[in-house]
Amino acid sequence: MQLVDTHVHINFEAFQPDLDEVAKRWREANVAYLVHSCVEPSEFKSIQAIADRFPEVFFAVGLHPLDVEAKWTDKVADEIFQLASSDPRVVAIGETGLDFFKAQNSEQQLQALDQQLAIAQRLDLPVIIHCRDAAEVMAGHFRDFWEQRGSVRGVMHCWGGTPAETQWFLDLGFWISFSGTVTFKKATQIHESAQMVPSDRLLIETDCPFLAPTPHRGKRNEPANVWHVAQRVALLRNISIEELAIQTTNNARQLFRLPSSGALAN
């Protein structure tokens, strides 16, 4: 029984002292693949180096919405395209999206989002979407983009929206990914969303090193903890962990076009 952690940041400094031990734990936990997200293109070489060390790691390239104000230019868009084209292990563009919780530069964020959506279309790759306090604007913007320029497949990562907001993005064709927040006792709207997502559109992640699930809250998160996410989602959906593992692993392979057999070392 295997799982896929569809959103990690193991290139962050928090993992530098003991990444080999972290990898040993995710392998012992039968985490077959990891999809490494990208905050900004300058991370690309460090993420590549991790994938060189651990063949189960695939990755994305993009610019996070909170970095748009300081770093977005047409040159960055070209760089994302070139990097995404340079390595077959790139399986997505992102993370991109909108964050109105910590920034209000909506026009800049939307411009950067649109250019990254266009890159994803051009390369036939999915997008990894960050959405915080921006669901209504984002859903409306996606509808306009789909109508004018065609749809893009992708995932709403670390999803924390209401059931109504969840349905907006399901209607747009997105996969929905749940993180350690789904294990939090008071996260009732996330619990409700996790119950309503169709089985063929469901994904799980850690978003490590952030948002460690219960019972590890307050500690550094890591890929092996995706099992806690899986267990909670399975309980909410009233299915076995085995069924949940099969569903989410197949979904990750479909969305990100991962190999059909795991890359785990023996």
Side-chain angles (χ1 to χ4, degrees), residues 18 30 54-55 63-65 92 106 137 140 161 185 191 199-200 203 207 210 228 245:
D18 63 341
N30 288 325
F54 307 110
L63 185 69
H64 192 285
S106 58
V137 173
K185 185 177 181 179
H191 300 163
S199 60
D200 63 350
L203 295 171
D207 198 15
F210 311 110
H228 294 293

Side-chain angles (χ1 to χ4, degrees), residues 56-151:
E56 59 267 46
V57 174
F58 290 77
F59 50 98
V61 57
L63 185 69
H64 192 285
L66 292 179
D67 289 310
V68 164
E69 184 172 7
K71 299 177 181 179
W72 183 261
T73 64
D74 289 340
K75 183 177 179 180
V76 171
D78 292 339
E79 183 180 12
I80 290 171
F81 176 80
Q82 295 300 328
L83 291 173
S85 306
S86 71
D87 192 316
R89 295 171 297 182
V90 174
V91 296
I93 300 299
E95 61 187 277
T96 181
L98 300 176
D99 192 317
F100 297 159
F101 178 74
K102 292 185 177 181
Q104 299 300 318
N105 56 329
S106 58
E107 287 191 19
Q108 284 181 309
Q109 290 189 40
L110 287 165
Q111 180 186 13
L113 171 61
D114 279 357
Q115 291 194 50
Q116 291 177 86
L117 291 173
I119 292 168
Q121 281 184 323
R122 186 174 176 186
L123 296 176
D124 192 22
L125 291 172
V127 287
I128 297 172
I129 297 296
H130 172 104
C131 180
R132 191 170 186 189
D133 286 6
E136 186 172 1
V137 173
M138 178 167 281
H141 191 74
F142 281 152
R143 292 185 196 105
D144 291 342
F145 191 101
W146 278 205
E147 182 177 347
Q148 297 168 15
R149 303 173 64 176
S151 64

Side-chain angles (χ1 to χ4, degrees), residues 203-230:
L203 295 171
I204 53 176
E205 63 175 86
T206 58
D207 198 15
C208 63
F210 311 110
L211 299 172
T214 303
H216 300 290
R217 288 189 72 176
K219 300 178 181 179
R220 181 192 68 178
N221 201 5
E222 62 177 74
N225 289 337
V226 75
W227 279 98
H228 294 293
V229 179

Side-chain angles (χ1 to χ4, degrees), residues 1-5 25-32 178-180 182-183 204-206 213-216 221-235 240-246 248-249 264:
M1 185 169 59
Q2 298 179 336
L3 291 179
V4 178
D5 187 347
R25 287 192 288 273
W26 84 54
R27 288 174 169 176
E28 289 174 346
N30 288 325
V31 178
F178 295 95
S179 69
V182 79
T183 70
I204 53 176
E205 63 175 86
T206 58
T214 303
H216 300 290
N221 201 5
E222 62 177 74
N225 289 337
V226 75
W227 279 98
H228 294 293
V229 179
Q231 288 165 349
R232 181 59 173 153
V233 174
L235 181 64
S240 68
I241 184 67
E242 291 82 7
E243 185 176 354
L244 189 284
I246 291 169
T248 56
T249 298
L264 286 170

Side-chain angles (χ1 to χ4, degrees), residues 11-26:
N11 67 318
F12 283 12
E13 187 176 349
F15 290 108
Q16 298 317 301
D18 63 341
L19 186 55
D20 286 331
E21 290 300 313
V22 171
K24 180 180 179 182
R25 287 192 288 273
W26 84 54

Side-chain angles (χ1 to χ4, degrees), residues 159-209:
W159 184 242
T162 67
E165 292 166 348
T166 303
Q167 191 61 55
W168 297 345
F169 294 103
L170 289 170
D171 291 344
L172 284 158
F174 280 93
W175 278 251
I176 309 293
S177 182
F178 295 95
S179 69
T181 58
V182 79
T183 70
F184 299 170
K185 185 177 181 179
K186 295 182 179 180
T188 54
Q189 70 179 23
I190 299 176
H191 300 163
E192 292 172 12
S193 292
Q195 291 170 325
M196 65 176 284
V197 174
S199 60
D200 63 350
R201 224 84 80 64
L202 181 67
L203 295 171
I204 53 176
E205 63 175 86
T206 58
D207 198 15
C208 63

